[in-house]
Amino acid sequence: MADSLPTEFDVIVIGTGLPESILAAACSRSGQRVLHLDSRSYYGGNWASFSFSALLSWLECQQNSDPGEEGSAAWQDLIHETEEAITLCSKDKTIQHTEVFCYASQDVDDNIEETDALQRTPSWVAPTPLTNPLVPACLSEETPSLCVTRHEMPAKDTPENDGEISPEVTDVEETLAKENNRGDKTCTHAVSDGAKDENKPIVEDSTDQPKRNRITYSQIVKEGRRFNIDLVSKLLYSQGLLIDLLIKSNVSRYAEFKNVTRILAFREGKVEQVPCSRADVFNSKALTMVEKRMLMKFLTFCLDYEQHPEEYQAFMQCSFSEYLKTKKLTPNLQHFVLHSIAMTESSCTTIDGLKATKNFLQCLGRFGNTPFLFPLYGQGEVPQCFCRMCAVFGGIYCLRHKIQCLVVDKESGRCQAIIDHFGQRINAKYFIVEDSYLSEDTCSNVQYKQISRAVLITDQSVLKTDSDQQISILIVPPAEPGMCAVRVTELCSSTMTCMKDTYLVHLTCSSSKTAREDLESVVRKLFIPYAETETDREGLRKPRLLWALYFNMRDSSEISRSSYNGLPSNVYVCSGPDCGLGNEHAVRQAQTLFQEIFPTEEFCPPPPNPEDIIFDGDDKQPEVPGTTNRIIAKLESSEDCKNLENHENHLQN
């Protein structure tokens, strides 16, 4: 039971986001006793991924009022006279302005209840969609306890990659079988006869109009477990810090990845594919021969721009867009380089633009013809992989476990313990806390930025090709100066994030208003609502929007430690997701904090060779001279061996 936790640890980590999970894994790997807690019922925090019905349940929790402290034991009596308490926040306030719209047709005769889901009409459905009034939908919601065991594969079922990442899964049926083995025993993918009939293409009035499958809301709910919807949209640079860490620590064996297949550009109201590699450039029909030569010459320069400072030193104070004009690139090439290769804002400096372009080019070719990878089953898999590594080396995990306060010694100013909602006092030397757990008093001087997010379910890709299994990234430039570009990531069903014949689309930008106000104009440019009458062929080329969610997320990535009030010296704060495309900030933050806490320890070293591990009780063999670096694992019983193999001691109340 959770109320019988051990009372002494070296490190207590509160929150299971990516930087906290990396830190927990690094601490556990270095031999520290780690307790990893989260008040939520799922791993990942704002880095999590949800099934469709679990996302609806999460949305309803976001709309609920403060739950209060019902059932929590009083902690004031546990504070000694020489101590003081720093209270922690009891409700996550990092998500705001949630708005949901359903455009898919409603079939009231269908039973749309997903397995293990509760039917109800939530009060948070927004009253007005983008164009037409929204018919109130009978939405489905999972039970409050989210199923997180589907992400926790036994070690023996994990593919062995010998330190390398599998960039692509080619056998989708095999991947689906793996999904079924992840613990979703209650999930049923059977569709009723009525729903099967709905999959038949609709016969349009005009014979030359393209046929489309009719996707209904009931189908989305029934296939809800096919969806893995990320709260934060990220990709992994193939030469980035996270990929290097996954391979170095051998955490990559716990996950699978697919290569992003294409990079798109939005120009003059049209979506087109951007040539990235040398072969793509010379095979492109969108560029003239002169443009191809100009582009290759400029990209070759960017790869070693540091060796030619005379080419850019005079433009150090200029924006990257102004610098591109001096290189005699055509407007077409300037657009490609700025928004689809460097992927920067027009106002970024010349040196930052060159760095971004070089980073893009260096990542090409490692796992495919684009620089990016995407984890199967969503971004939420990555924090769980590091949690698994932490548990393998002895870390203890406990979800749905609220922390009421930090206990601080008045004389030394150091934090000595935490007190949980059971009233149990747990001591530790170091404390790592996710920013969202800090109270308003602690964060009274903090000025947070916001991220605008949209999650869409559509019936077609934004750029149709012969293959319907494309993973695409698109940067939509700002419509007006001073506004931010919008990053669009489109995922197909082979990423195991959406059902067949649909696409999952993520939109992200820095907030200036609410998420809907920031992103609605881009949604209008790329998609049409499902219920909107299709009258012209230009409209038919756009994908139809079936379902949409808008929300704002807190960005605490640029907050310095000095901004927080009264933090003890041994309490370290991890930020939530940033607005960037990659995960570099989270990895760099985790590494920096680990080196502050344990300056003499290596950060996430490679795991020991299994052949070098000797278990007590095995037949002892004579030691060979020079083999003193073997690891002795003291396991008291066969049950301990099983816990090590299963990677986790997961305590629940």
Side-chain angles (χ1 to χ4, degrees):
M1 295 294 292
D3 56 350
S4 60
L5 283 168
T7 58
E8 296 290 337
F9 289 91
D10 295 314
V11 181
I12 293 179
V13 183
I14 304 175
T16 53
L18 182 57
E20 304 95 78
S21 299
I22 294 175
L23 268 169
C27 293
S28 181
R29 178 67 184 89
S30 65
Q32 307 299 319
R33 297 170 297 169
V34 176
L35 174 62
H36 203 170
L37 305 172
D38 202 323
S39 62
R40 306 173 182 92
S41 58
Y42 53 88
Y43 288 99
N46 283 348
W47 302 79
S49 303
F50 294 120
S51 68
F52 185 74
S53 55
L55 180 67
L56 299 184
S57 190
W58 173 82
L59 281 167
E60 187 170 10
C61 290
Q62 295 299 319
Q63 291 293 327
N64 286 341
S65 58
D66 195 301
E69 297 298 328
E70 295 182 5
S72 297
W75 52 268
Q76 289 81 358
D77 295 339
L78 299 175
I79 306 298
H80 304 153
E81 293 182 358
T82 59
E83 298 171 339
E84 59 183 358
I86 299 177
T87 57
L88 297 183
C89 188
S90 60
K91 180 176 174 58
D92 184 4
K93 299 180 181 179
T94 60
I95 305 297
Q96 297 177 331
H97 309 301
T98 56
E99 297 183 74
V100 180
F101 302 90
C102 181
Y103 301 96
S105 61
Q106 309 294 322
D107 294 328
V108 295
D109 293 334
D110 282 355
N111 176 18
I112 67 171
E113 184 174 356
E114 183 188 339
T115 304
D116 289 346
L118 302 178
Q119 270 191 344
R120 64 181 70 174
T121 304
S123 58
W124 41 259
V125 176
T128 308
L130 301 182
T131 53
N132 298 331
L134 175 65
V135 178
C138 183
L139 299 180
S140 172
E141 175 190 318
E142 275 193 335
T143 53
S145 178
L146 302 183
C147 178
V148 296
T149 56
R150 63 189 177 87
H151 300 291
E152 299 165 2
M153 295 185 296
K156 61 183 179 181
D157 293 333
T158 305
E160 295 293 339
N161 294 332
D162 296 329
E164 293 297 326
I165 292 181
S166 173
E168 186 168 359
V169 176
T170 56
D171 191 340
V172 177
E173 292 183 359
E174 179 181 346
T175 307
L176 290 176
K178 290 182 179 180
E179 181 190 40
N180 292 333
N181 290 332
R182 289 190 171 207
D184 284 344
K185 297 179 180 179
T186 60
C187 175
T188 58
H189 300 292
V191 182
S192 65
D193 294 338
K196 289 181 180 178
D197 293 338
E198 292 162 2
N199 282 325
K200 295 180 180 179
I202 300 174
V203 179
E204 306 284 354
D205 295 335
S206 175
T207 56
D208 59 350
Q209 288 183 353
K211 296 181 179 180
R212 295 186 179 183
N213 289 342
R214 179 170 175 253
I215 305 296
T216 65
Y217 183 77
S218 63
Q219 289 176 265
I220 294 175
V221 173
K222 286 179 179 178
E223 297 290 328
R225 288 189 182 271
R226 296 288 184 186
F227 289 89
N228 283 289
I229 301 173
D230 297 329
L231 293 184
V232 59
S233 178
K234 297 278 188 181
L235 296 175
L236 284 72
Y237 281 95
S238 62
Q239 296 278 8
L241 295 178
L242 183 54
I243 290 292
D244 292 342
L245 181 61
L246 287 167
I247 295 176
K248 172 189 173 184
S249 62
N250 205 22
V251 173
S252 60
R253 61 180 174 170
Y254 299 141
E256 297 174 277
F257 300 83
K258 282 186 73 75
N259 181 245
V260 173
T261 56
R262 59 185 183 176
I263 296 172
L264 306 178
F266 186 82
R267 188 166 184 266
E268 297 178 353
K270 296 181 180 180
V271 178
E272 53 189 359
Q273 187 165 348
V274 176
C276 297
S277 64
R278 181 185 298 270
D280 288 343
V281 169
F282 286 104
N283 289 332
S284 174
K285 297 181 180 179
L287 302 177
T288 65
M289 186 58 66
V290 174
E291 285 180 319
K292 292 176 182 179
R293 291 176 179 173
M294 294 171 65
L295 180 59
M296 287 305 304
K297 181 179 179 181
F298 179 75
L299 296 182
T300 302
F301 156 72
C302 289
L303 273 173
D304 59 350
Y305 73 92
E306 298 98 336
Q307 307 301 321
H308 307 282
E310 69 281 357
E311 294 285 338
Y312 62 86
Q313 277 187 340
F315 305 95
M316 294 286 286
Q317 304 302 321
C318 298
S319 67
F320 190 46
S321 59
E322 293 175 349
Y323 174 71
L324 292 177
K325 295 176 183 178
T326 67
K327 304 302 290 185
K328 300 181 180 179
L329 299 176
T330 64
N332 196 29
L333 294 181
Q334 292 178 37
H335 182 92
F336 283 173
V337 172
L338 182 63
H339 297 294
S340 301
I341 296 179
M343 295 186 179
T344 60
E345 300 289 345
S346 302
S347 58
C348 89
T349 64
T350 297
I351 193 68
D352 288 341
L354 290 174
K355 286 180 180 178
T357 304
K358 179 179 179 178
N359 182 52
F360 180 98
L361 297 172
Q362 287 181 326
C363 293
L364 286 172
R366 186 176 189 185
F367 298 115
N369 61 347
T370 72
F372 306 111
L373 294 176
F374 180 80
L376 292 188
Y377 302 96
Q379 171 72 30
E381 289 291 290
V382 180
Q384 293 185 72
C385 290
F386 285 98
C387 290
R388 181 172 184 174
M389 174 183 171
C390 174
V392 164
F393 288 96
I396 295 178
Y397 279 82
C398 197
L399 301 181
R400 294 186 289 276
H401 202 92
K402 296 181 180 179
I403 308 302
Q404 300 193 81
C405 67
L406 304 174
V407 180
V408 181
D409 180 67
K410 292 180 180 179
E411 183 178 353
S412 64
R414 291 176 63 85
C415 184
Q416 293 183 327
I418 61 170
I419 298 178
D420 64 13
H421 63 298
F422 290 107
Q424 182 182 10
R425 178 175 174 136
I426 306 174
N427 302 317
K429 300 175 183 176
Y430 303 99
F431 301 82
I432 298 166
V433 184
E434 181 194 341
D435 172 88
S436 65
Y437 283 87
L438 299 177
S439 67
E440 292 182 0
D441 291 337
T442 305
C443 303
S444 59
N445 296 326
V446 176
Q447 297 294 324
Y448 291 110
K449 293 183 178 180
Q450 296 288 325
I451 303 171
S452 290
R453 290 276 293 114
V455 179
L456 315 177
I457 301 176
T458 66
D459 69 340
Q460 283 188 354
S461 173
V462 292
L463 182 62
K464 293 189 65 177
T465 59
D466 294 337
S467 172
D468 62 350
Q469 296 300 313
Q470 298 279 2
I471 308 174
S472 311
I473 179 171
L474 164 67
I475 304 295
V476 179
E480 301 176 5
M483 298 179 64
C484 293
V486 176
R487 184 174 72 247
V488 181
T489 305
E490 184 183 70
L491 306 173
C492 60
S493 59
S494 66
T495 62
M496 317 311 294
T497 58
C498 58
M499 61 181 281
K500 186 179 180 182
D501 296 326
T502 64
Y503 287 82
L504 189 64
V505 182
H506 293 276
L507 286 79
T508 307
C509 74
S510 296
S511 298
S512 58
K513 303 175 183 178
T514 67
R516 183 184 171 192
E517 291 172 322
D518 285 337
L519 300 174
E520 186 179 57
S521 60
V522 175
V523 174
R524 288 178 180 272
K525 291 177 183 177
L526 298 176
F527 308 98
I528 57 172
Y530 185 91
E532 187 171 296
T533 304
E534 299 172 350
T535 57
D536 58 273
R537 290 196 56 82
E538 187 66 28
L540 284 174
R541 295 175 188 171
K542 293 183 179 180
R544 293 187 294 194
L545 184 58
L546 304 173
W547 186 87
L549 162 66
Y550 297 90
F551 63 92
N552 290 89
M553 176 184 291
R554 178 192 293 177
D555 181 359
S556 56
S557 59
E558 297 183 2
I559 305 302
S560 64
R561 179 185 174 84
S562 59
S563 301
Y564 299 105
N565 296 327
L567 275 186
S569 59
N570 61 333
V571 174
Y572 302 85
V573 180
C574 288
S575 65
D578 63 330
C579 194
L581 175 60
N583 300 273
E584 315 306 296
H585 179 269
V587 178
R588 194 176 290 112
Q589 182 183 52
Q591 185 169 5
T592 300
L593 292 181
F594 179 82
Q595 290 172 346
E596 287 182 18
I597 301 172
F598 304 109
T600 61
E601 297 287 345
E602 183 180 358
F603 179 67
C604 287
N609 188 333
E611 297 179 357
D612 292 337
I613 300 177
I614 302 176
F615 295 97
D616 278 2
D618 290 352
D619 292 336
K620 294 187 177 181
Q621 301 189 7
E623 183 175 341
V624 179
T627 59
T628 58
N629 59 342
R630 288 194 163 193
I631 295 177
I632 307 298
K634 296 184 178 180
L635 300 180
E636 307 244 342
S637 66
S638 60
E639 185 63 29
D640 291 331
C641 295
K642 186 180 298 182
N643 288 338
L644 178 62
E645 186 175 354
N646 286 339
H647 81 271
E648 185 175 38
N649 296 322
H650 188 176
L651 302 178
Q652 296 181 349
N653 55 343

